[in-house]
Each structure stands twice: as structure tokens, then as C-alpha cells.
Amino acid sequence: MEGVELMKVLVTGHEGYIGCVLVPMLQERGHEVTGLDSGLYSECVFGPAPAPVEAWRLDVRDVEPEMLTGFDAVIHLAAISNDPVGDLNRECTMDINYRASVRIAEAAKAAGVSRFLFSSSCSLYGAGGDELLDESAPFNPVTPYGESKILTEQAVIGLASETFSPTFLRNATAYGFSPRLRGDLVVNNLVGYALTTGEVLLKSDGTPWRPLVHIEDISRAFIAALEAPREAVHCEAFNVGITAENYRIRDVAEIVESVVPGSRVRFSATAGPDIRNYRVSCERIRRALPGFEPKWTVREGVGELYDAYRAHGLTLEDLEGSRLQRIARVKELQARGVLDASLRRTDLPVASGVTVG
């Protein structure tokens, strides 16, 4: 791309929900991309499989500095990726999401990598109330996942130097279609139930606020931060999304009901309050990164998901099964003996080298 400094970029978690959308977008910009992934969800493909990319088949806890030599940037997505999986084993969540993340940042700095983009989360605001929160708002996490993001930000910012520049992208709750779809994210889940059962099934009382952002727009934010002048992103945290795209969950359900023909909102028998409640302002990223141009609204994303689910034949078994539910996938691999209690793959060498796939 004219005017863009092309970089050699390592993307951890490249086979995940966001990673397999971000990688081709980086490649389209002309960047050279290498992946790093343990393959936990490599078999969880829904729809067309993503194109293979040169990659390390590796647990993020086993990254060494010499592996990162020659890279200009690391985009660190890999993590225990939702609250139910995080709650399964708090210590393991901290080991992967916090300690391994800091270790990768230290390895990147030691290897001479100049940019480190960390995939943080607005979940660190937790029980944040109904007011719009900017990046200076106090943290109030209610899950190990949220805690791990705070600890990593605080540790990695201490590594910043003239030659090592970290940036923290606090993603709103993601939605949208991906070749490695997640059915456990609220918008994806509601559309899935609406299509497969005719019911937009709410598992809370619908009152909590959530900021919502399409995975393509998350990817655009990472690209904009990667390509921005260093002084615009050095040691900065950004809420990633659009300020107008904060919704109460019940309002999302009503959007789904209006888009999916014949569907009706229904509350689960166990629906109750959810202490996770936060609204965020995304004005800082809009001001600081003019290259970030989000494209999606929730209503448009619901339409995209509905069309994709129909095109690829989504069933209720798919929606509730291990291919689309991260907690179900983890438990399935543990039952098969492929994953141990620390979420290490028993069939994966400590360092299996660069492969293609």
C-alpha cells in the first residue's frame, strides 16, 4: 500500500475467532505475517476454511526471544478467551493471559521488536455502571479474564522504552462472522438461537450494558495502531468500538427479533441479573487514529450473521456444541486426553518449529 511502512508481523492466536479475520486483512495491506498458535481451535471451522499461513505450532507459554528476532511487531491476541473458560481454572487463566503475555512482551523487547500490540478488553471495567467510561475510568473487573487484562497492561507498560513501544487495545464485546466462529458471544448467540429455534433466548434479565464491535472493526483498529506514527500510540490504551454502539442486551435481542423472520424474544427460566455492566466511550481512538474507520453497526452485523448461518446450514447442535462453544471445546479435548488440566496440549512438542498451516 502506498505510504504504508510494510512490516514483518507475528500474530499470536492467529487461528482464533479474531485472528483468522485479522491475518488476511494485514496481508492485504502488504504486511508479512507469521502466526503462532497451539491449535486449540484449529479444527473449529464453520464455513470456508481460512487460507493457511506460515506459523509456529506452539503454546504461548513456550515462546523464546530468539523466535522473535527479525519481527517489526507482535500482535498478541492469544488468550483464554471468555469468562466461562477463564472461570474453569483461575490460576491457568493467569498463567496464560497474564504471565505468558508479559513473557512474550519481554521476549519481543529482548529480540528488538519495536511494536507490541496487546489485545486487551473492555471487560476490565467489569461492574462499571451506566455512565460512559473512557480509558481513564477505574477498573472494576468481576472475572479472572478481566483481572488478567489489567495485570498485563500494568506489567507491559513498565517495559516501554525508546526502542519498545506497547499499545493496548481494549476491545468491546466482539460479534460477526468468522471462519472460526464463536457461538458463545452475545450477538452471535442470540442470532443463532433465533434462527435455529425461533426464540431469541436471553440468559440474563437483559438490563446490562455492553459495548459491541464487529471483528472486522477490531481488525481495522489493530491495523490502524500498527501503521500509526509511534507517538500516537506509544503506551496508549484505546477502547475499541464506536461510542454509539453501546446497547442493553434486551435492545440487542429486539434487533435480532426484528431481523430474523418469525423469531420472538424469550427469557431463559434461569435469567437473572448480570453484574457485568459497562458502557464505554471510544472517542480517544477516533481522535488519535484517523486511519481507524469502523464500518459495522449491530443491526448490520445481525443481518450478516443471519445470512451466513443460513448459507452454511447452522443447526442447534452446532450452536451448542464444541465447534462453536469454547468451554465445550476445552472440556471435549480434556475428555479425549488431548488437553491437560493446565490447558497444555499433550500432543504438542514444547517447540515444534515453523510450519505451514
Side-chain angles (χ1 to χ4, degrees):
M1 292 269 180
E2 188 174 348
V4 173
E5 180 187 351
L6 300 183
M7 300 187 195
K8 185 176 180 182
V9 183
L10 178 74
V11 178
T12 71
H14 76 287
E15 291 182 334
Y17 174 63
I18 296 171
C20 60
V21 172
L22 172 60
V23 166
M25 292 176 68
L26 284 165
Q27 292 172 324
E28 287 169 10
R29 298 286 294 177
H31 300 292
E32 180 184 345
V33 181
T34 299
L36 187 152
D37 202 293
S38 69
L40 199 61
Y41 306 115
S42 61
E43 300 169 3
C44 299
V45 174
F46 184 79
V53 61
E54 184 177 16
W56 291 92
R57 177 64 76 216
L58 191 68
D59 191 298
V60 291
R61 289 168 283 190
D62 298 324
V63 173
E64 299 293 343
E66 58 267 23
M67 299 174 181
L68 305 184
T69 301
F71 286 100
D72 301 300
V74 170
I75 296 178
H76 183 43
L77 304 178
I80 300 301
S81 59
N82 72 346
D83 292 332
V85 181
D87 292 341
L88 186 66
N89 184 328
R90 185 184 189 280
E91 186 58 26
C92 183
T93 299
M94 290 299 169
D95 196 33
I96 295 171
N97 288 12
Y98 165 45
R99 286 183 282 273
S101 296
V102 176
R103 190 167 182 267
I104 288 173
E106 291 171 340
K109 181 177 180 179
V113 178
S114 59
R115 295 281 186 102
F116 185 84
L117 278 63
F118 176 61
S119 185
S120 190
S121 171
C122 286
S123 66
L124 48 70
Y125 301 118
D130 293 342
E131 298 301 316
L132 279 174
L133 306 175
D134 66 16
E135 292 81 356
S136 66
F139 302 139
N140 195 10
V142 296
T143 64
Y145 177 79
E147 291 176 38
S148 72
K149 296 299 185 181
I150 296 168
L151 291 169
T152 302
E153 285 195 19
Q154 292 173 338
V156 172
I157 202 165
L159 299 175
S161 69
E162 291 184 2
T163 57
F164 182 73
S165 181
T167 305
F168 310 99
L169 289 103
R170 298 175 181 169
N171 303 321
T173 300
Y175 67 87
F177 188 75
S178 164
R180 289 192 176 89
L181 185 71
R182 284 181 57 186
D184 51 15
L185 294 165
V186 61
V187 179
N188 299 0
N189 186 264
L190 292 177
V191 178
Y193 275 113
L195 175 65
T196 60
T197 71
E199 295 180 337
V200 187
L201 185 63
L202 284 169
K203 298 177 182 178
S204 75
D205 63 10
T207 59
W209 285 97
R210 288 289 189 285
L212 299 167
V213 63
H214 196 283
I215 49 173
E216 288 184 5
D217 288 337
I218 291 175
S219 299
R220 291 185 178 98
F222 274 96
I223 292 169
L226 178 72
E227 297 178 353
R230 183 182 190 273
E231 59 270 19
V233 297
H234 180 65
C235 291
E236 293 287 351
F238 298 103
N239 294 337
V240 176
I242 304 169
T243 304
E245 291 290 292
N246 286 277
Y247 294 86
R248 290 193 188 274
I249 300 301
R250 67 189 180 204
D251 296 330
V252 177
E254 290 173 0
I255 292 172
V256 174
E257 182 183 63
S258 72
V259 171
V260 179
S263 65
R264 292 291 180 268
V265 174
R266 182 175 78 82
F267 288 87
S268 165
T270 58
D274 186 342
I275 60 174
R276 295 172 299 169
N277 178 65
Y278 48 92
R279 302 171 66 210
V280 305
S281 167
C282 300
E283 295 310 297
R284 177 185 284 184
I285 192 170
R286 184 183 63 81
R287 292 191 303 267
L289 299 180
F292 173 52
E293 298 180 358
K295 309 291 186 186
W296 289 88
T297 65
V298 166
R299 181 171 292 275
E300 292 166 340
V302 168
E304 176 211 30
L305 287 162
Y306 174 61
D307 291 341
Y309 289 174
R310 292 176 68 206
H312 300 302
L314 180 75
T315 66
L316 183 60
E317 183 180 11
D318 290 328
L319 183 63
E320 296 182 338
S322 62
R323 187 159 53 135
L324 304 188
Q325 295 287 333
R326 293 301 189 243
I327 186 72
R329 173 65 174 172
V330 167
K331 290 181 177 179
E332 176 191 67
L333 292 178
Q334 288 181 327
R336 285 165 41 189
V338 177
L339 205 63
D340 68 17
S342 68
L343 301 189
R344 282 189 176 274
R345 294 194 65 143
T346 60
D347 60 347
L348 189 66
V350 171
S352 58
V354 175
T355 62
V356 175

